[in-house]
């Protein structure tokens, strides 16, 4: 096939492609967002879903330690694993991120310039080692291992430091091609449109591109699949960088279906020819001849003519006589670095083939051994006793740790014995650095290795910079449990994750999972609002999309829109208009998709109730929640609607409406009001069950018409649980319904337990004390209910939820040093993953609300226009709007102030009661008069002539 073209000369595309290439290397938010939000701060959030964290961080999802992300940002990672142990004994496994292995996140700064872990070598704190990582500069980090012996006997300790390169794939594909030619990855397409618009057309799972799959046989490790439907169209824009006048385009593809694919090809939309891509199991090349090429810019469009799927790796433009010389071949990964002589003892300098940077280490123990391990799992190697003891004769050469499966390679520095007397603390230090040349690295490690006395000062400076919270005296007993939660949440970060055709750093509920989690991430962001607003900001940015993105939001797992609440909470904390202007359209797109836009499947039922089963099996994140489990078992998803999705869609609309009022978007306000009425009417008409006092799952017939509430075999509402009370969060309940729901929530033996609110009413016949959600207490939905209590003017119950959760958290972290997912109703014991942030993050919000001066908390119906605490948190001024539900003109606030003083308050200039719960925590109940409209101003000041308490 030959395609002739009219010559054109355009240079704009070349500029765009160069800019895009640079952005792919460096695109991440500016670290300045972790401090003050200076005007223009949202600009660095555009076109990225990455984090502003540094290249050094706790990014491994395999072993505990510190990692470095190379500048190329191609998914490779340099790992340093640090493992203290008792010498001459193999009782301590390597610190794995995939199981409980004796270490605990201990402290962390928000920007990860410092983070530390405690290794329990003898429980509990009898013998331990605190391993910390401190920023020296952008290129260097200090590793400090501090052994503490609280026993009555002298102990002999050891320290292993392993280093290795980590790949996100198991093989590499190389191309033999002419100099100057460029292989265009298929994933770099400019557009991919389909003739049939499916429900997930604008919600590609995990933030991938339309048609994108992982494929280790592809050059870029991803391929684009096309051909599911006739009429799909895949377009590319690329540069004729060698300015060829004629030649061939070679397309690398393999078949997905066992049939030939027919494709039409256009170049710059001028000529169309058809080609046949013959069935092939493995990748091969298809050739297209082209003539009269323009000097710079080219457009290539492929359109499917039948329904045979093919995976496209990419294509390359060549001269005709170069085509036969193109070779694609698998290349073994070389994990063994070249070692460079630094001329210093106690050092190592490495250069890996696939990383541009050089790496170096220098350590303080002059008697340390150097060893190598040919294995992909150093944990397994340390189960052998002979690998835990030093050689009798020290050697200047590296020795090999015996055995190994030859599937990996680790360098090892082994320090032992480290003698620690009773009551003594003994430290060992090492520096790890990277640089752009071997000279830069050698110069740096020489300098650092000559000043070991400075190491402790570096550690102390960075450790002292960890945020020290101002806390009222009543909150002091909870500080340690909050320290562990903060450290866990801040260090639960993995690299690489992959979305939007880029590798990135990303938060995770726990390092057991290396993926996106939509509703979990919303709660991580909410927790971040109490730790660092920049971390919360980038979390929201990661899961929301602008209008040009293929997906409406980043979807993985339960599509409960917790990002809407994070969006609102960040406004509550900042009242920053630039922030609001940037994020409002992103959240609106999120809302619109859940509202049925962009081919969304959520509005198929005639009852006007929302269902998200097509997106994910889990409506509220609660897995074995009784009616949900029953529905899936009996394949009823197409005709069943829970209450929770419609309820949160109502609240989403209300939160966006408040933002629209602030921004003056009148058209949007009317739309939200209409949606709120439709959804509220639907819940009231079809879902309320008077007998149980819960809203129910609504059944529909095959035509989508509602037929009644789903009942258990015992003829009781199958939805006596968290889903059944979710309309309270939406704010659409009548006073009578609110009363019934509050009884169900707070009567012990129903939803209330000694550990807090459980998922299923304990009096229900389908309650299961041994379930995962059914029979356990989790934090996230309690956060929604906690905020709703302030809306319904029940602040005492809000405090009851928060205080109970903090007591449970304090007890279980003190017992185990672990941050648990959930808690047993019967025993209160923590369970699930042991280093969990995510859904447990609300404890950070509750602690701040009750015990950290400078915190004001209100319900979902209150929109702050302005709020300001006095410098010492001994007073407050604020202006608010109340968006009342059901005509109510009352609400409540929790205000935490410096506990050294007594306070008094005014609302719109009139004295109002300020009820003290305990020193520093106050409840303010607002009751607006008609003349006040929706706006009210609060002023709180110390009582005149007030003495310090």
């Amino acid at each position: 096939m030959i395609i002739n073209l009219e010559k054109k000369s355009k240079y704009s595309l070349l500029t765009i492609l160069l800019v895009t290439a640079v952005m792919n290397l460096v695109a991440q938010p500016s670290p300045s967002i972790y401090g003050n939000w200076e005007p223009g701060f949202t600009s660095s959030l555009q076109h990225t879903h990455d984090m502003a964290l540094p290249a050094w961080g706790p990014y491994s999802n395999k072993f505990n330690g510190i990692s470095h992300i190379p500048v190329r940002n191609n998914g490779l990672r340099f790992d340093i694993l640090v493992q203290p142990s008792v010498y001459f004994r193999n009782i301590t496994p390597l610190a794995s991120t995939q199981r409980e292995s004796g270490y605990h996140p201990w402290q962390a700064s928000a920007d990860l310039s410092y983070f530390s872990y405690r290794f329990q070598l003898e429980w509990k704190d009898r013998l331990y080692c605190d391993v910390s990582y401190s920023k020296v500069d952008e290129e260097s980090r200090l590793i400090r291992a501090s052994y503490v012996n609280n026993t009555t006997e002298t102990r002999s300790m050891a320290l292993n430091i392993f280093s290795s390169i980590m790949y996100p794939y198991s093989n590499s594909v190389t191309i033999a091609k002419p100099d100057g030619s460029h292989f265009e990855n298929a994933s770099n397409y400019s557009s991919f449109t389909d003739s049939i618009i499916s429900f997930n057309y604008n919600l590609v799972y995990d933030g991938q591109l339309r048609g994108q799959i992982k494929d280790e046989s592809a050059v870029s490790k991803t391929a684009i699949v096309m051909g599911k439907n006739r009429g799909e169209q895949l377009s590319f824009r690329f540069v004729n960088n060698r300015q060829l006048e004629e030649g061939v385009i070679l397309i690398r593809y393999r078949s997905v279906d066992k049939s030939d694919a027919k494709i039409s090809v256009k170049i710059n939309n001028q000529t169309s020819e058809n080609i046949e891509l013959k069935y092939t199991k493995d990748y091969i090349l298809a050739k297209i001849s082209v003539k009269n090429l323009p000097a710079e810019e080219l457009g290539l469009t492929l359109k499917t003519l039948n329904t045979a799927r093919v995976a496209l790796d990419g294509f390359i433009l060549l001269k005709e006589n170069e085509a036969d010389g193109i070779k694609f071949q698998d290349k073994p990964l070389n994990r063994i670095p070249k070692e460079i002589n630094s001329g210093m003892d106690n050092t190592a300098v490495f250069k890996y083939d696939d990383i541009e940077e050089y790496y170096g280490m220098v350590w303080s123990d002059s008697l340390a051994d150097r060893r190598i391990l040919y294995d992909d799992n150093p944990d397994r190697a340390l189960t052998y006793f002979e690998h835990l003891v030093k050689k009798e004769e020290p050697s200047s050469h590296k020795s090999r740790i015996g055995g190994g499966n030859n599937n990996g390679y680790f360098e090892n520095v082994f320090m032992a014995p480290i003698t620690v007397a009773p009551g003594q603390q003994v430290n060992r230090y090492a520096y790890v650095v990277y640089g752009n040349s071997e000279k830069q690295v050698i110069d740096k490690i020489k300098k650092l290795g000559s000043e070991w006395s400075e190491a402790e000062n570096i550690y102390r400076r960075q450790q002292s910079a960890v945020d020290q919270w101002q806390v009222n005296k009543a909150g002091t007993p909870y500080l340690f449990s909050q320290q562990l939660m903060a450290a866990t949440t801040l260090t639960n970060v993995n690299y690489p994750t992959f979305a939007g055709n880029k590798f990135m750093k990303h938060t995770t509920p726990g390092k057991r999972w290396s993926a996106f989690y939509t509703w979990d991430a919303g709660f991580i962001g909410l927790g971040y609002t109490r730790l660092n607003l920049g971390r919360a900001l980038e979390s929201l940015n990661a899961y929301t999309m602008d209008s040009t993105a293929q997906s409406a939001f980043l979807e993985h797992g339960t599509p409960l829109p917790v990002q809407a609440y994070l969006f609102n909470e960040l406004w509550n904390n900042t009242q920053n208009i630039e922030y609001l202007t940037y994020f409002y359209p992103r959240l609106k797109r999120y809302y619109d998709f859940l509202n049925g836009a962009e081919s969304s499947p959520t509005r198929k039922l005639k009852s006007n109730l929302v269902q998200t089963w097509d997106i994910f099996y889990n409506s509220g994140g609660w897995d074995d929640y009784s009616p949900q489990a029953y529905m899936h078992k009996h394949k009823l998803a197409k005709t069943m609607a829970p209450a929770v999705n419609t309820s949160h869609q109502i609240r989403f609309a209300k939160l966006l409406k408040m933002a629209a009022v602030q921004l003056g978007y009148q058209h949007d306000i009317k739309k939200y009001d209409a949606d709120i009425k439709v959804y509220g009417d639907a819940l009231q008409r079809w879902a309320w069950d008077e007998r149980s006092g819960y809203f129910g799952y609504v059944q529909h017939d095959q035509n989508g018409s509602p037929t009644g509430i789903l009942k258990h075999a015992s003829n009781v509402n199958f939805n006596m649980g968290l889903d059944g009370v979710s309309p309270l969060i939406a704010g659409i309940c009548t006073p009578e319904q609110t009363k019934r729901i509050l009884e169900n929530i707070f009567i012990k033996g129903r939803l209330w337990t000694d550990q807090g609110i459980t998922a299923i009413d304990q009096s229900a016949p389908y309650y299961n004390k041994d379930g995962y959600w059914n029979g356990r207490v989790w934090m996230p939905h309690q956060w929604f209910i906690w905020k709703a209590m302030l809306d319904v003017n029940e602040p005492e119950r809000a405090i009851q939820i928060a205080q109970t959760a903090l007591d449970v958290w304090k007890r279980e972290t003190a017992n185990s040093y672990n941050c648990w997912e959930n808690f047993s109703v019967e025993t209160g014991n923590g369970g699930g993953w042991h280093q969990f942030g995510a859904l447990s993050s609300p404890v950070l919000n509750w602690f701040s609300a009750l015990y950290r001066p400078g915190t004001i908390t209100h319900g979902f119906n209150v929109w702050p226009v302005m709020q300001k605490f006095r410098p010492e948190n001994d007073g407050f001024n604020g202006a608010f709007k109340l968006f009342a539900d059901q005509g109510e003109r009352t609400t409540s606030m929790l205000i935490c102030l410096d506990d050294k003083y007594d306070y008094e308050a005014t609302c719109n200039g009139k004295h109002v009661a300020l009820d003290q719960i305990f020193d520093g925590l106050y409840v303010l109940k607002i009751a607006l008069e008609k003349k006040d409209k929706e706006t009210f101003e609060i002023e709180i000041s110390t009582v005149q002539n007030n003495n310090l308490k």
Side-chain angles (χ1 to χ4, degrees):
M1 179 183 91
I2 300 176
I3 297 181
N4 289 291
L5 295 163
E6 230 178 82
K7 290 189 177 180
K8 296 180 181 178
S9 179
K10 294 183 180 179
Y11 296 90
S12 59
L13 181 66
L14 179 60
T15 302
I16 292 170
L17 291 178
L18 288 173
V19 170
T20 301
V22 172
M23 287 180 62
N24 286 342
L25 292 177
V26 301
Q28 68 175 44
S30 167
S32 65
I33 64 171
Y34 296 152
N36 294 325
W37 293 359
E38 299 295 336
F41 70 95
T42 57
S43 61
S44 72
L45 300 175
Q46 298 176 23
H47 312 302
T48 182
H49 298 274
D50 205 344
M51 306 177 74
L53 295 174
W56 289 108
Y59 302 135
S60 174
N61 65 340
K62 291 188 175 182
F63 299 108
N64 180 259
I66 190 168
S67 303
H68 181 262
I69 302 170
V71 172
R72 282 180 62 192
N73 191 27
N74 59 355
L76 276 63
R77 193 181 69 225
F78 175 66
D79 280 359
I80 298 286
L81 323 177
V82 181
Q83 179 63 55
S85 64
V86 180
Y87 185 49
F88 243 77
R89 296 171 66 187
N90 55 351
I91 60 173
T92 304
L94 196 66
S96 170
T97 62
Q98 299 301 301
R99 66 171 189 278
E100 291 189 60
S101 51
Y103 76 92
H104 307 270
W106 207 249
Q107 279 188 307
S109 59
D111 64 357
L112 298 183
S113 56
Y114 175 88
F115 56 96
S116 67
Y117 301 92
R118 175 157 295 186
F119 289 76
Q120 288 290 330
L121 305 178
E122 282 189 26
W123 188 261
K124 181 179 186 182
D125 291 334
R126 284 172 48 82
L127 187 65
Y128 66 88
C129 182
D130 285 338
V131 176
S132 62
Y133 304 89
S134 301
K135 177 180 178 180
V136 182
D137 50 38
E138 293 302 326
E139 295 80 28
S140 313
R141 291 298 186 268
L142 168 69
I143 301 170
R144 176 184 185 266
S146 181
Y147 295 87
V148 175
N149 182 2
N150 287 325
T151 73
T152 59
E153 300 173 352
T154 299
R155 297 302 177 92
S156 185
M157 314 304 296
L159 182 66
N160 274 285
I161 301 177
F162 291 91
S163 63
S164 188
I165 184 176
M166 295 293 167
Y167 291 87
Y169 42 79
S170 58
N171 72 286
S172 177
V173 178
T174 61
I175 316 172
K177 59 183 179 62
D179 291 342
S181 62
H182 179 67
F183 183 77
E184 302 283 346
N185 295 325
S187 58
N188 290 333
Y189 64 74
S190 58
S191 68
F192 186 7
T193 57
D194 199 343
S195 57
I196 298 175
I197 306 301
S198 62
F199 79 87
N200 60 350
Y201 186 75
N202 288 101
L203 195 69
V204 186
Y205 206 58
D206 273 350
Q208 305 306 302
L209 299 180
R210 208 169 288 142
Q212 191 171 39
I213 61 168
K214 295 181 180 178
D215 189 344
E216 294 220 342
S217 297
V219 172
S220 68
K221 306 308 173 193
T222 73
I224 301 298
V225 174
M226 66 181 307
K228 180 181 179 181
N229 301 310
R230 185 193 306 264
E232 295 175 1
Q233 189 162 290
L234 186 63
S235 298
F236 300 89
R237 305 295 296 174
F238 64 102
V239 175
N240 180 6
N241 59 313
R242 294 197 294 164
Q243 298 189 354
L244 303 182
E245 294 187 357
E246 63 180 27
V248 295
I249 293 176
L250 300 182
I251 298 177
R252 190 169 189 254
Y253 80 96
R254 65 173 176 82
S255 301
V256 176
D257 296 328
K258 293 184 177 181
S259 55
D260 300 339
K262 295 180 180 180
I263 306 285
S264 77
V265 181
K266 286 185 178 181
I267 306 292
N268 280 8
N269 293 316
Q270 290 189 39
T271 307
S272 180
E273 296 286 347
N274 298 339
I275 62 172
E276 192 169 60
L277 302 181
K278 293 290 188 181
Y279 169 75
T280 173
K281 182 179 179 181
D282 300 317
Y283 277 106
I284 63 172
L285 296 171
K287 183 187 295 186
I288 305 168
S289 297
V290 289
K291 289 187 175 182
N292 296 321
L293 294 172
E296 293 293 340
E297 181 178 318
L298 283 171
L300 170 66
T301 299
L302 308 177
K303 185 175 182 180
T304 59
L305 301 177
N306 65 347
T307 56
R309 291 177 299 163
V310 292
L312 302 179
D313 183 10
F315 60 92
I316 187 169
L317 173 64
L318 300 168
K319 298 176 183 178
E320 176 76 37
N321 62 5
E322 295 172 334
D324 292 339
I326 291 292
K327 302 294 181 186
F328 294 83
Q329 58 187 19
D330 290 343
K331 174 189 173 185
L333 303 181
N334 182 16
R335 294 180 170 86
I336 302 175
K338 173 187 175 184
E339 182 157 0
I340 298 164
N341 185 6
S342 70
M344 273 181 72
D345 294 333
N346 310 329
T347 64
V349 179
F350 305 130
K351 176 65 176 69
Y352 293 93
D353 286 351
D354 294 323
I355 295 179
E356 293 179 359
E357 290 89 339
Y358 292 74
Y359 291 102
M361 279 196 297
V362 57
W363 49 92
S364 61
D365 190 336
S366 61
L367 300 178
D369 284 349
R370 290 196 60 196
R371 310 186 296 184
I372 53 177
L373 171 66
Y374 288 89
D375 202 302
D376 60 352
N377 188 355
D379 193 6
R380 180 170 45 240
L382 292 186
T383 62
Y384 295 97
F385 176 76
E386 59 268 27
H387 302 160
L388 296 166
V389 298
K390 295 186 71 172
K391 300 292 183 182
E392 292 184 6
E393 295 295 330
S395 172
S396 59
H397 301 289
K398 289 183 285 189
S399 61
R400 177 169 177 171
I401 299 176
N405 60 16
N406 293 314
N407 292 328
Y409 180 88
F410 286 84
E411 294 274 344
N412 174 231
V413 177
F414 182 38
M415 305 179 195
I418 302 169
T419 303
V420 188
Q424 189 181 21
Q425 173 182 317
V426 175
N427 300 333
R428 290 291 183 269
Y429 304 96
Y431 289 103
V432 57
V433 308
Y434 84 91
N436 296 321
S437 68
E438 60 181 76
K439 182 181 186 304
Q440 183 181 357
V441 169
I442 291 172
D443 288 349
K444 177 62 70 71
I445 61 174
K446 280 184 177 180
K447 181 178 186 301
L448 293 172
S450 65
E451 302 173 351
W452 287 113
S453 59
E454 180 62 17
E456 187 68 12
N457 293 332
I458 292 171
Y459 156 76
R460 293 189 181 280
R461 279 198 301 271
Q462 295 293 3
Q463 194 271 344
S464 65
V466 174
D467 188 18
Q468 302 296 317
W469 300 335
Q470 180 187 354
V471 176
N472 284 334
K473 185 177 180 180
T476 303
Y478 300 92
L479 265 175
F480 176 67
S481 65
Q482 295 296 308
Q483 173 189 315
L484 295 187
M485 180 79 266
T488 297
T489 305
L490 290 170
T491 59
N492 271 345
V493 186
N494 284 346
Y495 177 91
T497 50
F498 187 81
N501 212 30
K502 297 181 181 69
F503 290 104
M504 65 182 73
K505 303 176 290 294
H506 192 71
T507 57
T508 176
K511 285 182 174 287
R512 175 185 178 186
W513 302 277
S514 183
F516 307 102
Y517 287 90
T518 302
W519 93 294
D520 296 71
F523 278 104
I524 293 171
L526 285 169
Y528 282 161
T529 63
R530 308 318 311 162
L531 301 175
N532 182 274
L533 293 179
R535 291 287 294 264
L537 186 79
E538 64 191 3
S539 175
L540 183 60
N541 195 62
Y543 281 83
T544 57
M545 305 286 180
D546 64 26
S547 60
T548 65
Q550 286 187 359
S551 291
F553 58 94
L554 201 164
E555 162 57 18
H556 181 109
T558 301
L560 204 67
V562 187
Q563 283 71 29
Y565 301 90
L566 173 56
F567 168 70
N568 182 252
E569 198 70 11
L570 277 166
W571 170 262
N572 291 343
N573 278 272
T574 66
Q575 293 87 64
N576 186 290
I577 289 293
E578 181 181 337
Y579 154 79
L580 195 69
T581 304
Y582 173 81
F583 275 103
Y584 175 82
R586 298 169 77 94
L587 271 294
K588 185 177 183 299
R589 188 178 180 196
Y590 195 155
Y591 171 85
D592 286 343
F593 187 90
L594 293 178
N595 219 38
E598 299 190 49
S599 74
S600 168
T602 60
R603 295 289 302 276
K604 295 187 293 188
L605 300 175
K606 295 178 181 177
S607 63
N608 286 320
L609 295 172
V610 173
Q611 55 171 200
T612 60
W613 308 123
D614 288 320
I615 300 173
F616 197 64
Y617 80 92
N618 203 328
S619 63
W622 35 44
D623 298 272
D624 60 342
Y625 186 74
S626 299
Q628 178 173 276
Y630 174 88
M631 178 201 71
H632 285 304
K633 180 179 179 180
H634 293 87
K635 302 186 186 318
L636 301 174
K638 289 184 178 180
T639 59
M640 197 72 66
V644 67
N645 301 116
T646 305
S647 297
H648 281 279
Q649 191 68 359
I650 293 172
R651 182 51 69 184
F652 200 165
K654 290 181 175 182
L655 296 176
L656 288 181
K657 174 187 172 180
M658 293 191 292
V661 169
Q662 179 73 46
L663 295 169
Y665 297 162
Q666 297 300 320
H667 179 268
D668 290 352
I669 295 169
K670 293 178 181 179
K671 179 65 169 64
Y672 297 135
D673 283 337
D675 289 346
I676 292 164
K677 185 176 189 316
V678 167
Y679 289 137
D681 289 347
L683 283 171
Q684 288 290 0
R685 182 176 181 184
W686 304 116
W688 174 248
D689 177 42
E690 181 64 30
R691 179 184 172 192
S692 66
Y694 288 94
F695 288 79
Y697 267 44
V698 179
Q699 301 181 97
H700 299 72
D701 61 24
Q702 294 302 314
N703 296 319
S705 298
T707 60
I709 290 174
L710 179 66
K711 297 291 183 67
H712 182 257
S714 62
N715 202 36
V716 300
N717 186 346
F718 220 144
N719 199 29
M720 295 167 62
L722 289 174
D723 185 291
V725 302
S726 58
L728 184 70
I729 299 161
I732 56 93
C733 298
T734 66
E736 294 76 15
Q737 289 170 340
T738 298
K739 182 175 182 295
R740 295 286 305 283
I741 289 174
L742 292 182
E743 290 172 354
N744 286 331
I745 292 174
F746 289 100
I747 291 178
K748 191 173 179 180
R750 294 186 186 173
L751 288 179
W752 188 260
T753 76
D754 290 338
Q755 325 308 329
I757 302 168
T758 190
I760 295 289
D761 191 316
Q762 298 159 88
S763 68
Y766 39 86
Y767 174 76
N768 175 17
K769 65 181 181 180
D770 296 321
Y772 181 50
W773 274 78
N774 185 357
R776 299 189 73 82
V777 170
W778 295 67
M779 302 299 181
H781 288 279
Q782 293 192 89
W783 184 87
F784 295 128
I785 296 171
W786 169 66
K787 292 275 282 188
M789 289 304 97
L790 300 175
D791 284 329
V792 298
N793 220 6
E794 294 279 352
E796 296 79 10
R797 282 174 162 160
I799 293 169
Q800 178 184 343
I801 293 170
Q803 188 63 65
T804 301
L806 291 174
D807 288 338
V808 168
W809 191 258
K810 173 178 172 292
R811 181 192 68 225
E812 291 304 294
T813 51
N815 286 344
S816 65
Y817 290 168
N818 286 334
C819 293
W820 297 108
E821 276 189 87
N822 53 61
F823 303 87
S824 166
V825 168
E826 287 192 304
T827 67
N829 295 152
W833 193 243
H834 64 296
Q835 292 173 0
F836 197 72
L839 305 181
S840 295
S841 296
V843 296
L844 295 165
N845 304 85
W846 289 321
F847 178 70
S848 291
L850 270 56
Y851 297 114
R852 290 182 64 183
T855 308
I856 183 167
T857 308
H858 49 71
F860 299 123
N861 292 337
V862 174
W863 180 264
V865 177
M866 179 280 295
Q867 56 189 30
K868 185 178 181 181
F869 282 88
R870 293 178 187 171
E872 301 301 322
N873 294 316
D874 57 352
F876 174 81
N877 291 84
F880 304 87
K881 289 183 178 180
L882 176 61
F883 290 77
D885 286 330
Q886 305 293 324
E888 295 290 338
R889 299 177 62 77
T890 60
T891 192
S892 299
M893 294 181 169
L894 305 180
I895 302 176
C896 189
L897 298 159
D898 189 326
D899 61 1
K900 294 192 293 290
Y901 304 95
D902 291 319
Y903 299 91
E904 57 187 3
T906 63
C907 178
N908 291 337
K910 294 183 178 179
H911 179 78
V912 292
L914 192 62
D915 298 328
Q916 182 173 322
I917 306 303
F918 44 72
D919 284 355
L921 180 65
Y922 297 86
V923 166
L924 184 63
K925 291 189 175 182
I926 305 296
L928 297 183
E929 301 175 6
K930 287 185 178 181
K931 66 178 181 179
D932 295 325
K933 296 184 179 180
E934 305 94 7
T935 303
F936 60 97
E937 295 183 0
I938 298 295
E939 182 177 0
I940 301 174
S941 57
T942 56
V943 175
Q944 294 298 317
N945 302 318
N946 179 31
N947 295 320
L948 287 175
K949 289 184 179 178

